[in-house]
């Protein structure tokens, strides 16, 4: 009887262990979809684009390195420096944001916002 009981415990333990291993290995830790960026939305320098510069670019581009992306100076630095032009995908700003030689600090969503802002004429709004 003891042998039968030990065998049942052993089989039950193996079954539980297999179920735990299967459950652990099939779970995803994160499932994340980046928020959609609407190309038809109106993108504003002050509320949509400047915060990207302030969060990601200002460490280097704060007057020491061109273009100066400081708040209040970024628009003139970008337009006078020839960093924004249409088609937006060919603009120096967007190409630099995509470049692997440049510090990739901005997310794909932020890059799309900049692309769409340039496509809409890169207005100082």
């Amino acid at each position: 009887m003891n042998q039968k009981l030990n065998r049942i415990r052993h089989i039950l333990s193996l079954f539980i262990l297999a179920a735990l291993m299967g459950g652990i290995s099939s779970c995803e830790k994160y499932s994340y979809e980046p928020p959609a960026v609407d190309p038809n939305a109106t993108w504003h320098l002050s509320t949509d684009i400047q915060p990207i510069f302030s969060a990601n670019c200002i460490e280097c581009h704060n007057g020491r390195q061109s273009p100066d992306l400081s708040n209040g100076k970024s628009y003139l630095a970008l337009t006078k420096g020839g960093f924004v032009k249409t088609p937006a995908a060919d603009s120096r700003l967007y190409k630099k944001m995509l470049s692997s030689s440049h510090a990739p600090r901005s997310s794909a969503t932020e890059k799309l916002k900049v692309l769409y802002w340039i496509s809409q004429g890169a207005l100082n709004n």
Side-chain angles (χ1 to χ4, degrees):
M1 175 81 173
N2 245 354
Q3 276 186 343
K4 229 180 189 181
L5 190 56
N6 283 338
R7 185 161 175 82
I8 290 173
R9 284 182 187 159
H10 183 67
I11 291 172
L12 186 58
S13 297
L14 288 174
F15 178 74
I16 291 172
L17 183 61
L20 284 172
M21 293 299 289
I24 290 171
S25 66
S26 68
C27 293
E28 288 184 30
K29 187 171 181 179
Y30 300 107
S31 179
Y32 176 75
E33 282 290 320
V37 179
D38 183 5
N40 298 316
T42 301
W43 298 100
H44 297 88
L45 175 66
S46 60
T47 58
D48 301 309
I49 307 305
Q50 186 61 51
I52 296 170
F53 297 155
S54 296
N56 303 310
C57 312
I58 204 71
E59 187 176 320
C60 299
H61 295 278
N62 60 0
R64 292 182 300 214
Q65 186 173 336
S66 179
D68 184 350
L69 298 176
S70 302
N71 193 15
K73 296 181 180 179
S74 60
Y75 184 75
L76 282 177
L78 292 170
T79 54
K80 299 291 183 196
F83 288 91
V84 291
K85 69 174 187 173
T86 55
D90 291 337
S91 72
R92 286 175 58 198
L93 174 62
Y94 185 67
K95 283 183 174 181
K96 190 54 105 170
M97 290 179 79
L98 295 178
S99 171
S100 61
S101 65
H102 192 261
R105 297 173 187 258
S106 53
S107 69
T109 300
E110 291 169 330
K111 290 172 185 161
L112 283 175
K113 288 179 182 182
V114 170
L115 176 71
Y116 298 147
W117 172 69
I118 296 168
S119 295
Q120 295 172 1
L123 302 175
N124 189 10
N125 52 2

